[in-house]
């Protein structure tokens, strides 16, 4: 079998910058415990994710060859992964030929410095932004603010989050954790001259945001806008941005200077390949046949759109993900958020518990690989465990990323790393697994243990086993977060009782049968 040359340098690729918004400050269980107590947020998430799931299912059922589309999307993404270096060079040549300028950023700091320098050179005091996960990842708004430049989000949900001094909790719907009443209060507190009689009717809230943003669109000193891209076509140098509101298109056409910060994995080889992804993405994300606004732009054209176009290609740990054969398919993600909407863990905790720009199942595999997992105290190390491994995320992924398989792979990496550090059986879970292996290797010992469990648990109150005290070894790690059903009789006990009942019944029926005969 021939091997594929991925162009990986001999020096190990660096992980994402520590300043990136990819690593939380607390472990997932600790952060999730607080969010689980927020009843309003849980209701908001339950309603929103259920609605999106239903719309997606209806849109997918309309496509008879949906599974073939998924396979095509997966194959194209593997082609990109396998040939990323040469596709990046082709993209640079295409963008340059179309009048654009390409910048390469190894990490968040370099990307922030490039964008800040470009904005300052053009005298921008305020810049407009199109919704972008990459700029959120590198903390671009904060970097610009440090240089005296205010970034204004043009996407409605991103604007809500920004005005509330909050952080996004969903890839597609950043303000999914907020309801209409909360949004009204945010607008009243942050929008100048807003009529206090405004209600929480969606039409009124949308109109308020429209007036606020139109003033920004028409009055831009320096005239600079910043975007990301859903796809970047290597063949033509075309950037593709899909959205639902049209505010992004205003940012892509009105300003004199447009700067796009794009992850190196967003490439597609040819313009024709967009046919596949522009069918997969809208159905998987918003449950629509096509996005209301799909904007494609290539370089600069005199008299039409921006006079300058700058493309910042961002690594920030992506090469480190590419280095892992088992985990690199996480880079195939097209940011549709379908995995978040079906995940039972995300639906209860929300996105903030993950502590990363990328929440949910995809974040649980992408963030740890981009940042690295540096021991049990690293919040990123807890993310691969933020899953029930039910497999629903894989079923809905439009490009067939096997998220459960990668989660197990990352868990194994964590366990192997801790075992190497502390010795073969020094950890409590190592001891527990060794004990379970010994117990299950002896049918007699296993049967005695199971038979004795029932009478012991009868001493505990309630129908389930709740949180057990820390004095009990090993078990509290499970009961801290789970209600376990009390064990019933073992199979052997049940079988013995069944056979005894049958024997007794046969003994009682035998003589009667003979008398009747």
């Amino acid at each position: 079998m021939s091997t594929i040359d991925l162009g990986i340098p001999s020096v190990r690729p660096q992980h994402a910058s520590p300043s990136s918004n990819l690593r939380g400050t607390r472990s997932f269980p600790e952060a999730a415990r607080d969010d689980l107590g927020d009843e309003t947020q849980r209701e908001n998430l339950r309603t929103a994710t259920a609605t999106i799931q239903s719309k997606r299912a209806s849109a997918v059922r309309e496509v008879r060859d949906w599974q073939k589309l998924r396979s095509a999307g997966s194959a194209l993404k593997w082609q990109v992964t396998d040939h990323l270096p040469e596709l990046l060079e082709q993209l640079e040549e295409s963008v340059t030929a179309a009048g654009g300028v390409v910048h390469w950023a190894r990490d968040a700091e370099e990307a922030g410095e490039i964008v800040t320098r470009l904005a300052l050179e053009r005298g921008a005091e305020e810049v407009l932004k199109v919704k972008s996960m990459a700029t959120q990842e590198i903390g671009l708004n904060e970097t610009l603010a440090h240089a005296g430049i205010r970034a204004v989000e043009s996407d409605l949900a991103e604007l809500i989050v920004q005005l509330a001094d909050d952080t996004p909790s969903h890839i597609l719907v950043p303000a999914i954790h907020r309801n209409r009443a909360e949004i009204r209060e945010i607008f009243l507190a942050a929008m100048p001259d807003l009529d206090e009689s405004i209600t929480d009717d969606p039409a009124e809230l949308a109109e308020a945001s429209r007036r606020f943003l139109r003033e920004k669109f028409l009055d831009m000193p320096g005239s600079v806008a910043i975007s990301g891209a859903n796809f970047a076509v290597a063949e033509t140098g075309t950037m593709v941005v899909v959205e639902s509101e049209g505010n992004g298109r205003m940012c892509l056409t009105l300003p004199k200077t447009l700067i796009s910060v794009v992850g190196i994995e967003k490439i597609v080889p040819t313009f024709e390949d967009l046919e596949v992804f522009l069918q997969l993405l809208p159905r998987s994300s918003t449950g629509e046949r096509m996005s209301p606004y799909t904007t494609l732009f290539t370089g600069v054209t005199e008299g039409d759109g921006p006079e300058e176009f700058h493309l910042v290609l961002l690594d920030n740990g992506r090469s480190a993900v590419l280095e892992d054969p088992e985990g690199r398919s996480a880079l195939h993600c097209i940011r549709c958020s379908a995995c978040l909407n079906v995940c039972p863990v995300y639906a209860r905790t929300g996105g903030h518990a993950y502590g990363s720009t990328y929440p949910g199942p995809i974040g649980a595999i992408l963030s740890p690989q981009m940042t690295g997992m540096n021991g049990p105290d690293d919040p990123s190390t807890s993310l691969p465990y933020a899953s029930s491994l039910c497999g629903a995320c894989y079923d809905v992924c439009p490009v067939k990323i096997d998220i459960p398989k990668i989660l197990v792979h990352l868990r194994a990496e964590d366990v192997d790393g801790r075992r190497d550090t502390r010795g073969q059986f020094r950890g409590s879970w190592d001891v527990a697994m060794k004990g379970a292996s010994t117990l299950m290797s002896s049918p007699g010992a296993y049967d005695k243990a199971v038979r004795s469990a029932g009478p012991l648990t009868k001493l505990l109150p309630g129908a389930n086993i709740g949180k057990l005290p820390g004095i009990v070894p090993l078990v509290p790690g499970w009961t801290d977060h789970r209600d376990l059903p009390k064990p019933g009789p073992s199979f052997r006990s049940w079988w013995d009782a069944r056979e005894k009942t049958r024997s007794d019944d046969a003994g009682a029926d035998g003589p009667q049968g003979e008398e009747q005969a």
Side-chain angles (χ1 to χ4, degrees):
M1 180 182 295
S2 61
T3 59
I4 296 171
D5 180 12
L6 293 173
I8 298 299
S10 58
V11 178
R12 182 180 179 83
Q14 65 184 34
H15 285 110
S17 307
S19 63
S20 303
N21 294 323
L22 293 171
R23 177 182 276 114
T25 57
R26 299 186 295 171
S27 68
F28 179 84
E30 183 182 355
R33 193 175 293 113
D34 291 342
D35 288 328
L36 286 170
D38 189 335
E39 295 293 337
T40 301
Q41 175 175 283
R42 291 184 65 174
E43 176 61 22
N44 294 343
L45 288 167
R46 185 193 67 78
T47 302
T49 55
T51 300
I52 298 172
Q53 278 189 63
S54 177
K55 289 183 63 179
R56 177 200 170 276
S58 297
V60 166
R61 281 195 295 268
E62 296 177 351
V63 185
R64 295 181 62 182
D65 60 349
W66 179 252
Q67 295 306 322
K68 291 182 179 179
L69 268 176
R70 291 181 72 208
S71 297
S74 177
L76 286 168
K77 281 296 184 179
W78 276 115
Q79 181 183 354
V80 171
T81 305
D82 293 345
H83 302 282
L84 187 56
E86 51 263 47
L87 286 172
L88 285 169
E89 291 179 359
Q90 183 183 9
L91 177 65
E92 181 182 34
E93 293 174 358
S94 300
V95 171
T96 303
V101 180
V102 177
H103 309 262
W104 298 81
R106 288 172 293 185
D107 53 29
E109 282 77 16
E110 282 195 0
E113 290 170 2
I114 292 167
V115 175
T116 302
R117 173 176 55 80
L118 291 172
L120 288 174
E121 289 174 352
R122 284 144 189 82
E125 298 177 357
E126 195 170 72
V127 298
L128 281 171
K129 286 184 74 248
V130 185
K131 181 179 181 294
S132 163
M133 300 294 291
T135 57
Q136 177 70 26
E137 170 194 325
I138 64 175
L140 183 60
N141 289 9
E142 294 77 9
T143 300
L144 290 169
H146 186 71
I149 302 171
R150 182 170 184 257
V152 179
E153 298 288 351
S154 64
D155 176 82
L156 176 55
E158 289 282 2
L159 178 64
I160 293 167
V161 169
Q162 184 181 41
L163 294 179
D165 195 22
D166 198 357
T167 54
S169 64
H170 192 276
I171 289 176
L172 178 68
V173 194
I176 195 172
H177 56 293
R178 300 285 191 175
N179 59 34
R180 292 184 298 174
E182 291 174 307
I183 294 169
R184 174 184 178 273
E185 295 302 319
I186 291 169
F187 280 10
L188 282 172
M191 287 185 178
D193 304 323
L194 185 62
D195 188 348
E196 292 188 3
S197 65
I198 186 174
T199 70
D200 62 1
D201 179 71
E204 290 191 37
L205 296 174
E207 180 61 28
S209 66
R210 183 179 295 112
R211 287 197 303 269
F212 176 80
L213 287 171
R214 285 296 165 91
E215 293 179 5
K216 302 296 181 182
F217 289 137
L218 299 175
D219 182 19
M220 288 193 298
S223 194
V224 174
I226 300 169
S227 80
N230 295 92
F231 307 102
V233 183
E235 177 186 47
T236 60
T238 303
M239 302 294 120
V240 183
V241 174
V242 298
E243 51 159 339
S244 299
E245 300 166 6
N247 292 332
R249 180 168 292 179
M250 298 282 281
C251 297
L252 298 171
T253 54
L254 287 179
K256 294 180 179 179
T257 303
L258 175 61
I259 306 168
S260 295
V261 181
V262 181
I264 58 174
E265 82 282 12
K266 292 296 188 71
I267 290 185
V268 295
T270 70
F271 197 86
E272 186 180 11
D273 298 331
L274 291 175
E275 178 184 352
V276 173
F277 293 110
L278 292 181
Q279 294 182 75
L280 289 171
L281 180 57
R283 285 179 168 84
S284 297
S285 57
T286 57
E288 297 170 299
R289 296 183 182 93
M290 64 180 293
S291 298
Y293 294 90
T294 301
T295 305
L296 297 86
F297 55 96
T298 306
V300 293
T301 302
E302 186 176 355
D304 182 14
E307 299 172 6
E308 290 184 82
F309 171 61
H310 295 265
L311 173 62
V312 181
L313 290 171
L314 176 68
D315 189 322
N316 202 39
R318 287 161 175 79
S319 291
V321 183
L322 186 66
E323 188 184 42
D324 184 353
E326 298 295 325
R328 64 169 62 116
S329 61
L331 293 176
H332 297 176
C333 175
I334 60 174
R335 308 292 192 265
C336 70
S337 78
C339 62
L340 280 70
N341 300 324
V342 298
C343 178
V345 177
Y346 174 86
R348 286 157 180 79
T349 65
H352 291 151
Y354 295 82
S356 171
T357 297
Y358 305 108
I362 187 61
I365 62 172
L366 186 59
S367 300
Q369 293 189 89
M370 292 176 70
T371 63
M373 298 187 296
N374 302 315
D377 296 329
D378 183 352
S380 291
T381 304
S382 68
L383 292 180
Y385 298 93
S387 171
S388 65
L389 298 179
C390 67
C393 51
Y394 174 58
D395 291 340
V396 299
C397 178
V399 290
K400 293 188 174 181
I401 303 172
D402 195 342
I403 294 177
K405 182 179 179 181
I406 300 176
L407 286 168
V408 173
H409 164 65
L410 293 175
R411 292 181 186 186
E413 276 194 353
D414 170 47
V415 171
D416 291 343
R418 287 187 282 116
R419 180 179 288 117
D420 292 342
T421 301
R422 67 177 182 235
Q424 185 69 13
F425 293 115
R426 288 182 56 191
S428 59
W429 284 109
D430 291 326
V431 174
M433 293 300 103
K434 181 66 174 177
S437 176
T438 302
L439 180 65
M440 293 181 179
S441 298
S442 171
Y446 178 76
D447 184 53
K448 289 178 181 178
V450 174
R451 286 176 185 267
S452 63
L456 288 175
T457 55
K458 288 181 180 179
L459 301 175
L460 299 173
N464 294 325
I465 301 174
K467 184 175 180 179
L468 294 177
I471 193 173
V472 182
L474 306 177
V475 179
W478 283 83
T479 60
D480 282 353
H481 311 290
R482 301 169 177 84
D483 287 328
L484 303 178
K486 290 182 178 179
S490 69
F491 174 79
R492 289 174 179 269
S493 299
W494 173 81
W495 184 265
D496 290 345
R498 175 179 178 277
E499 291 301 298
K500 184 176 185 306
T501 300
R502 291 182 63 184
S503 177
D504 292 345
D505 290 345
D509 294 342
Q512 293 179 6
E514 293 175 359
E515 290 174 2
Q516 291 172 358

